[in-house]
Amino acid sequence: MKVTVPVPGVARLAHAYVSCYVLADERGATVVDAGLPRMWDMLPRALAAVDRRPGDVRAIVLTHAHFDHVGFALRAREELGVDVWVHDADARLAAHPYRYAHENPRATYPLRHPRALPILGSMLRAGAARVRGVHDVRRLVPGARLEVPGRPVVVACPGHTDGHVALHLPDADALVSGDALVTLDPYTARTGPRIVAGAATADSALNLASLDALAATGARVVLPGHGEPWTGGVAEAVRRARSVGAA
């Protein structure tokens, strides 16, 4: 487990090669993505890094609804009484987080990319096979500023999933990119700005096209769902991701 504060008011909780984020302001805290089930017990440390407690959480916001982002969302709703927010196009996936579209057969990736085996094994140990879906969700509206702590702006960037969004934090000059743009691909173990391999991406061409929306934010810091934060500006991250292309 690793807890850091990459930009003021934002804590990063990283475990098993998966990251989720806590946005804090005077109204409380928002958790962006719910990681994997074992990360629930680690969440208080991430909250404490920005001077918040579990009782301060007001919302769970999902960038998308794959199992490694839905993780503890249902438990948070049940135990903290908070809403779970997701784009309408990912609402069904949030209820069934293993039923996701992907371009390429997943079974071949460990054979072609054996360096990824420790990553996938770590995710399994953190509960990747035991994620419960969440049915009753609130719907994110692209382009809107969400009235939850941190007040993120919802940026539509489909491709990784049909309803993938990023969250722009103008006051922090940062962008939570989810899996639309990562610095570690869990399926290949390759690092640096890129999109996730077709083992987990529904439409790589659309994902690459959607990077324009991320670049338009002009954010200085990119906070991905997998890999370390990128501090070289979103425009450069997008340029590098496009140079790598699909995997």
Side-chain angles (χ1 to χ4, degrees):
M1 182 188 67
K2 182 179 181 181
V3 173
T4 57
V5 180
V7 294
V10 179
R12 172 184 175 235
L13 169 60
H15 177 67
Y17 302 93
V18 175
S19 293
C20 59
Y21 297 89
V22 174
L23 318 180
D25 67 17
E26 67 281 356
R27 294 174 295 176
T30 297
V31 178
V32 180
D33 289 330
L36 292 164
R38 285 193 62 188
M39 295 171 75
W40 171 256
D41 293 330
M42 305 169 189
L43 182 60
R45 285 189 58 181
L47 289 160
V50 284
D51 299 319
R52 297 295 182 272
R53 299 177 297 175
D56 296 322
V57 176
R58 302 288 178 260
I60 305 290
V61 179
L62 305 180
T63 61
H64 64 295
H66 281 165
F67 64 89
D68 55 332
H69 293 254
V70 172
F72 57 76
L74 181 61
R75 188 167 181 181
R77 196 183 69 188
E78 291 175 343
E79 297 193 19
L80 301 179
V82 299
D83 290 326
V84 178
W85 296 76
V86 68
H87 189 284
D88 186 66
D90 267 20
R92 185 175 182 278
L93 183 57
H96 307 282
Y98 298 105
R99 299 181 189 175
Y100 56 89
H102 49 93
E103 289 179 324
N104 301 334
R106 288 171 289 191
T108 64
Y109 276 82
L111 300 175
R112 292 164 49 201
H113 304 282
R115 289 176 54 238
L117 283 170
I119 297 173
L120 300 175
S122 182
M123 292 172 69
L124 281 171
R125 290 190 296 274
R130 303 189 306 274
V131 175
R132 295 186 296 163
V134 57
H135 289 262
D136 297 320
V137 295
R138 296 191 65 176
R139 309 302 171 90
L140 293 170
V141 178
R145 194 155 193 170
L146 193 58
E147 290 303 324
V148 298
R151 300 188 70 233
V153 178
V154 180
V155 180
C157 45
H160 184 66
T161 65
D162 292 340
H164 198 293
V165 302
L167 298 177
H168 184 208
L169 311 173
D171 296 340
D173 202 9
L175 177 76
V176 182
S177 61
D179 287 4
L181 176 64
V182 297
T183 57
L184 167 70
D185 184 342
Y187 293 89
T188 66
R190 292 171 178 160
T191 59
R194 62 191 61 241
I195 66 170
V196 175
T201 294
D203 186 333
S204 292
L206 179 57
N207 192 162
L208 288 166
S210 289
L211 297 180
D212 282 344
L214 305 190
T217 68
R220 178 182 61 86
V221 178
V222 179
L223 305 172
H226 303 279
E228 295 296 315
W230 172 265
T231 59
V234 66
E236 177 62 12
V238 164
R239 186 192 70 77
R240 295 193 186 198
R242 285 200 166 125
S243 72
V244 172

